[in-house]
Amino acid sequence: LSLQELHGIFPWLVESIFGSLDGIIVGWNLRCLQGRTNPTEYSVALDFLDPSGPMMKLVYKLQAEEYRYDFPVSYLPGPVKASIQEQVLPECSLYHNKVQFTSSGGLGLNLALNPFEYYMFYFAISLITQKNLPVTHHVSPSNSAYFILVDTYLKCFLPTEGSVLPPPSSNPGGAIPSPTPRSPAVPFTSYGMHHTSLLKRHIAHQPSVNADPASQEIWRSETLLQIFVEMWLHHYSLEMYQKMQSPHVKLEVLHYRLSISSKHHGSPAQSSYQALHAYQESFKPTEEHVLVVRLLVKHLHAFSNSLKPEPLSPSAHSHTASPLEEFKRVVIPRFVQEKLYIFLQHCFGHWPLDASFRAVLEMWLSYLQPWRYAPEKPPQSAEPLPRSVSEKWAAFIQENLLMYTKLFVGFLNRALRTDLVSPKNALMVFRVAKVFAQPNLAEMILKGEQLFLEPELVIPHRQHRLFMSPTLGGSFLSSWPPAITDASFKVKSHVYSLEGQDFQYKQMFGTEVRNLVLKLVQLICQAQQTAKSISDHSAETTASHSFFSWFRFTPAEMNGSYTGNDLDEIGQDSIKKTDEYLEKALEYLCQIFKLNEAQLTQMMMKCGTVQDENGKKQLPDCIESEDGLILTPLGRYQIINGLRRFEVQYQGDTELQPIRSYENATLVRLLFRFSSVLNERFAEQMKVLCSREDFVGRLCRYHLTNPHLMQKIRYSPVVKGRTSQKWGPRISLRFLASYRTLISLLMIYFIASWFYIGPVGCTFIILIGYVLYAVIMTFFFEGWKPHEH
């Protein structure tokens, strides 16, 4: 095919692979394509879309001819789309000189992208748009073709060793030119000064372009990362969007809105309302989305840590460093830090309180530990001691202080609302505590807080402006700001740029956060006691199981009380894991915040882990009132988690209590009607017999319910007393509807048949035996009721 024909089918081909932007066309469904289930399609897709595969060769072929393809602005992330529609150009240089009206006119805007940008835009945005895909089997995101391709592209265009591979070309001496600047088709207000690209700045320092081939191709690395960050992390609310803007940008936006409203005689308030609606998009990242972002974060740490040591002579830096080395130096603070912080804040505030938060947690912890991806290996030792965090990472910690402190507070607030008896939730608390307990890390975080809280002596007006927007402009090495040697100023610049100058900082090692940590410690103690209670209850239940447990009834059920717990299904192994995770988390929290044994003992006392004098569990935490006992918040927590409970027993007429699972419903109803007929017919006779003081009266009182003997039962804590109702002597045959009684009778008849005793004879023997048993029991236990066991 000719280049013109390839140019015509290229958009169709890209859409056929990655799906349409509106999600109607699924494409190759790379996110669900796995080698385990579809090995042939999987290998073909990876080979075809490989950086050196046929698809990328087509991209570079079209790139050489400087073709352009339209990408609708309406499918960009909400904040970017809204700002472009208001004709305010985003800071990212990715959008500069690319916005134009559609050929048909109207309000539609397009981005004019080169083939490489167009391909990567579709590849990155397919992670966001293709959410509800048909899935016929379980899909592991980390094994999908999409995940593998992201990893392959990162390794190719952001290499940790060597330089970026040159694109394949049919002409060995030729090179694919970097995108040329184009005049904007629409007048736009920029977010700041317009900067040249990284590539152009480096070429200006080169004596010859051909001397360094990487200088021609570094734009691919910059473009790839910009697209990934913009598509995957550029989602936030209007409030956060406004915090990110510098004062002069806000002023320009206000002037623009006023000019538009005056031209169209509209209301500025209406324009602001439309902008508010446009910026506040409904963004719900998926677990797969978070895993891909974590892959990006881990690779960027490895990419940045592969930076060669700086030369001894400072003057040699700008002339000897390659563009890739300069890119490594600024990639995280200029590309990722701000948007990742906003992305994490959104996830911490909106993610469900369940175990799926583990993906977000691991992404956050990966960013906090760049030393894990450093090329140097830790020294081998005989004992696996925790690796101390080197002082060389102090600058990173200080320049990312909010990532450590504010998000830690956000995690504390989440942990205080979760059920730590669950092993998955306990594991998350353990993971965070273990990371922050690394030797020397807490001290460096504390040092960063002290630098931020240092009083400002004399700060020029120019630096105050820098606080608000230290990363203005979409380029990363152009118009480089002067080197800042004041560590305190660097920390303040980081905090104010992310949160604004009116931000009230909450110290991680201050009193308020320490109280939150103590609450978490108390919650951990409660969870440990709950797990122990569940374990003890499971052991007791196992020990009391008998043959009749096969028929779904236990002695606890026979007594009319409920002693089960919803957490019984966790299992002994999971309970053991929970206890281990919480024990280690408690130890790490004590190390981080210097908690002593006295404080832990106090927490244990508050949790109610001390048993009462009789060795039995205490009642739930309550307070006395005029109406009786009222549960406190701690008491409600104890009941919900099964730590303590009231003895719940049926307190009404035993004949009218609900039919149990171990009873036959039909027999219960029939026997109740039969008993009611007998009781109505012989009520007076039974009353006379029970009132006798001789042996016959005692025998009748044994067989019939005694109205004067009331069991002492524990009532609801809400009501102090209750009027008891007295029932006269009566016959109760409900025990015959119990499966236990029926099975026992069947076994007796079955055993009697071995001795050639018929049903009539067996029934007679049973009655004789019961009469003898009743006579003996009448002499010793007059008040015992045989029908209520």
Side-chain angles (χ1 to χ4, degrees), residues 667-738:
L667 282 178
V668 169
R669 295 185 179 98
L670 290 176
L671 291 172
F672 173 73
R673 292 175 184 174
F674 183 59
S675 300
S676 300
V677 171
L678 294 178
N679 291 329
E680 290 177 5
R681 192 167 200 176
F682 302 105
E684 291 300 325
Q685 290 87 332
M686 288 189 293
K687 188 174 181 181
V688 171
L689 288 173
C690 289
S691 62
R692 294 173 58 171
E693 297 298 330
D694 55 4
F695 178 79
V696 175
R698 292 164 61 187
L699 185 64
C700 290
R701 284 195 295 271
Y702 174 75
H703 282 280
L704 307 175
T705 302
N706 192 333
H708 302 291
L709 294 177
M710 304 296 296
Q711 285 187 322
K712 290 184 178 181
I713 52 178
R714 187 170 292 158
Y715 293 105
S716 168
V718 178
V719 181
K720 280 189 173 182
R722 180 173 296 177
T723 303
S724 60
Q725 181 179 357
K726 296 182 179 180
W727 293 282
R730 55 185 177 174
I731 297 173
S732 176
L733 300 176
R734 182 166 176 167
F735 73 99
L736 293 174
S738 170

Side-chain angles (χ1 to χ4, degrees), residues 567-580:
L567 299 173
D568 289 342
E569 299 177 0
I570 290 180
Q572 290 293 334
D573 293 339
S574 296
I575 292 175
K576 185 178 179 182
K577 286 183 180 179
T578 298
D579 190 61
E580 291 176 357

Side-chain angles (χ1 to χ4, degrees), residues 534 537 541 556-557 561-568 639 641-642 645:
I534 296 171
H537 172 72
T541 304
E557 290 174 328
S561 63
Y562 174 74
T563 59
N565 189 284
D566 293 337
L567 299 173
D568 289 342
I639 290 179
N641 290 278
R645 60 174 175 265

Side-chain angles (χ1 to χ4, degrees), residues 582-685:
L582 294 178
E583 188 68 32
K584 294 299 292 183
L586 204 58
E587 178 184 336
Y588 290 138
L589 288 173
C590 291
Q591 293 176 12
I592 299 168
F593 293 93
K594 306 294 188 290
L595 303 180
N596 53 40
E597 291 295 332
Q599 288 175 311
L600 284 182
T601 305
Q602 185 180 5
M603 292 296 107
M604 295 286 187
M605 294 292 292
K606 288 183 179 180
C607 295
T609 56
V610 180
Q611 296 182 338
D612 61 9
E613 297 177 356
N614 298 325
K616 297 180 181 180
K617 301 297 181 185
Q618 299 175 345
L619 292 178
D621 192 61
C622 303
I623 57 175
E624 287 281 355
S625 70
E626 295 179 356
D627 299 325
L629 298 176
I630 297 179
L631 284 172
T632 63
L634 176 59
R636 285 192 290 271
Y637 172 85
Q638 291 167 339
I639 290 179
I640 291 172
N641 290 278
L643 181 60
R644 298 181 184 178
R645 60 174 175 265
F646 290 99
E647 301 257 348
V648 180
Q649 292 183 349
Y650 182 77
Q651 301 173 17
D653 187 352
T654 55
E655 291 296 297
L656 299 178
Q657 62 180 315
I659 298 174
R660 306 304 180 90
S661 60
Y662 54 83
E663 292 179 321
N664 184 282
T666 304
L667 282 178
V668 169
R669 295 185 179 98
L670 290 176
L671 291 172
F672 173 73
R673 292 175 184 174
F674 183 59
S675 300
S676 300
V677 171
L678 294 178
N679 291 329
E680 290 177 5
R681 192 167 200 176
F682 302 105
E684 291 300 325
Q685 290 87 332

Side-chain angles (χ1 to χ4, degrees), residues 231-282:
M231 294 300 105
W232 297 341
L233 300 179
H234 208 133
H235 303 79
Y236 34 78
S237 64
L238 174 65
E239 178 187 3
M240 189 59 65
Y241 177 81
Q242 290 176 337
K243 282 184 180 180
M244 296 171 60
Q245 306 309 311
S246 58
H248 70 277
V249 170
K250 294 178 180 178
L251 187 61
E252 289 176 353
V253 172
L254 178 61
H255 283 317
Y256 169 75
R257 288 178 176 172
L258 290 175
S259 64
I260 293 296
S261 62
S262 62
K263 286 180 183 179
H264 299 282
H265 305 284
S267 170
Q270 183 180 2
S271 176
S272 299
Y273 175 78
Q274 292 172 349
L276 172 65
H277 179 72
Y279 284 127
Q280 287 185 324
E281 63 174 344
S282 176

Side-chain angles (χ1 to χ4, degrees), residues 365-589:
L365 296 180
S366 294
Y367 184 82
L368 298 186
Q369 303 177 86
W371 46 86
R372 289 185 57 193
Y373 311 100
E376 66 267 14
K377 299 294 182 183
Q380 298 293 332
S381 59
E383 299 181 1
L385 298 175
R387 184 183 177 187
S388 178
V389 180
S390 173
E391 285 293 336
K392 76 173 188 176
W393 300 107
F396 178 88
I397 294 171
Q398 293 166 9
E399 293 170 10
N400 292 271
L401 185 64
L402 290 178
M403 287 281 196
Y404 290 88
T405 59
K406 187 174 181 182
L407 292 183
F408 179 80
V409 176
F411 174 76
L412 283 180
N413 290 324
R414 286 186 61 92
L416 290 172
R417 291 177 289 162
T418 55
D419 178 18
L420 298 184
V421 180
S422 168
K424 294 180 179 179
N425 291 335
L427 175 60
M428 287 192 282
V429 175
F430 162 74
R431 288 282 297 121
V432 173
K434 182 179 179 182
V435 168
F436 278 85
Q438 293 178 84
N440 203 32
L441 179 57
E443 288 76 7
M444 285 194 282
I445 295 175
L446 180 60
K447 175 64 175 176
E449 289 192 322
Q450 292 171 348
L451 290 172
F452 174 74
L453 298 173
E454 281 184 4
E456 301 174 16
L457 300 177
V458 179
I459 299 183
H461 180 68
R462 174 182 61 82
Q463 292 185 352
H464 271 298
R465 292 188 60 187
L466 189 58
F467 273 161
M468 295 299 296
S469 54
T471 59
L472 281 180
S475 181
F476 309 98
L477 298 179
S478 57
S479 301
W480 200 289
I484 303 174
T485 56
D486 184 10
S488 175
F489 179 77
K490 284 185 178 181
V491 179
K492 288 180 169 64
S493 177
H494 154 70
V495 173
Y496 291 143
S497 65
L498 292 181
E499 293 290 347
Q501 285 194 325
D502 57 346
F503 174 61
Q504 298 296 322
Y505 182 75
K506 188 182 296 183
Q507 298 181 53
M508 178 175 168
F509 296 96
T511 305
E512 187 175 351
V513 176
R514 188 179 181 86
N515 289 335
L516 288 178
V517 173
L518 291 177
K519 286 183 181 179
L520 180 61
V521 169
Q522 182 177 354
L523 196 63
I524 289 174
C525 295
Q526 292 172 345
Q528 285 180 307
Q529 182 61 25
T530 302
K532 184 177 183 299
S533 301
I534 296 171
S535 179
D536 293 343
H537 172 72
S538 301
E540 292 171 3
T541 304
T542 303
S544 63
H545 275 181
S546 63
F547 170 80
F548 300 109
S549 65
W550 289 86
F551 302 97
R552 299 181 61 84
F553 59 86
T554 62
E557 290 174 328
M558 295 297 181
N559 291 331
S561 63
Y562 174 74
T563 59
N565 189 284
D566 293 337
L567 299 173
D568 289 342
E569 299 177 0
I570 290 180
Q572 290 293 334
D573 293 339
S574 296
I575 292 175
K576 185 178 179 182
K577 286 183 180 179
T578 298
D579 190 61
E580 291 176 357
Y581 291 146
L582 294 178
E583 188 68 32
K584 294 299 292 183
L586 204 58
E587 178 184 336
Y588 290 138
L589 288 173

